[in-house]
Amino acid sequence: MERGSSKHGPRLDEQMSQEVSGLLQGPGTGGSRVEESRVPEPAGEDQPETTTAPAGELRTGAPKGMSSQDVERRSRLGRFITMSALPGDRETLIANARDNDAPDDIIADLGTLPEGIRYQTVSEVWAALGNKNETTRW
C-alpha cells in the first residue's frame, strides 16, 4: 500500500473550490446550480403559459371532502389562532387572533361564531364558520 500526502498547495485548493462553488452556493456570487442547457425556454408570444395543473385542480394531497383552496384557507385561519386559545369561545378566539395581528376578514369571520360555545380545535372553528372538513382523516 502506497502512502503519500493528499494535501494540495494553496493554488490548487483555490482552483478546486472555484470548480464546485456553483454546486455548493447556488445562485448569487458563486453561480447557479442549474446548468444553462437545463433551463426551460419561456413560452412564445402566442403560446399559453406553463402551469402545474393544466386540468384545473392541483394534486396537492388535499384530503377527501376538501379542495386545496379549502385546506389553504383553513390553514390561514389556524395561523392566527394559537394553541393557548383552545379550547375557547368566540371572545377568546377573537382576542387571540387580534394578539396575533390577524387581518380584518379573519376577525370578522370569528365574530360570526355563536356565543357560549367552546371550540376544541381549529377544525371545529372552521366547521362552525360553515365550511367542510375532510370526510376521512387517514
Side-chain angles (χ1 to χ4, degrees):
M1 181 165 150
E2 183 178 323
R3 294 187 184 195
S5 174
S6 64
K7 299 199 181 243
H8 308 110
R11 184 178 302 155
L12 186 56
D13 284 341
E14 182 64 27
Q15 179 185 353
M16 291 172 69
S17 69
Q18 290 296 321
E19 290 174 0
V20 297
S21 67
L23 298 172
L24 299 175
Q25 294 177 347
T29 58
S32 174
R33 292 183 180 179
V34 179
E35 296 175 15
E36 187 178 346
S37 62
R38 294 183 179 213
V39 176
E41 293 184 15
E45 291 178 13
D46 60 341
Q47 300 295 317
E49 291 296 321
T50 58
T51 178
T52 57
E57 179 71 19
L58 288 173
R59 293 185 177 200
T60 60
K64 289 183 181 177
M66 294 181 75
S67 69
S68 58
Q69 290 84 12
D70 290 338
V71 172
E72 181 59 36
R73 288 178 39 232
R74 184 176 67 180
S75 176
R76 181 174 178 255
L77 174 68
R79 283 183 218 134
F80 300 106
I81 299 174
T82 60
M83 294 302 292
S84 62
L86 296 169
D89 60 357
R90 178 178 77 174
E91 300 307 317
T92 304
L93 295 173
I94 291 173
N96 184 260
R98 283 193 176 127
D99 289 344
N100 292 315
D101 300 321
D104 293 336
D105 64 317
I106 298 285
I107 302 293
D109 286 348
L110 292 174
T112 64
L113 292 171
E115 288 187 43
I117 298 176
R118 290 178 63 81
Y119 301 97
Q120 302 295 319
T121 64
V122 173
S123 292
E124 287 181 10
V125 175
W126 178 252
L129 292 172
N131 300 298
K132 293 189 294 185
N133 281 309
E134 59 269 16
T135 54
T136 55
R137 188 107 176 144
W138 308 109

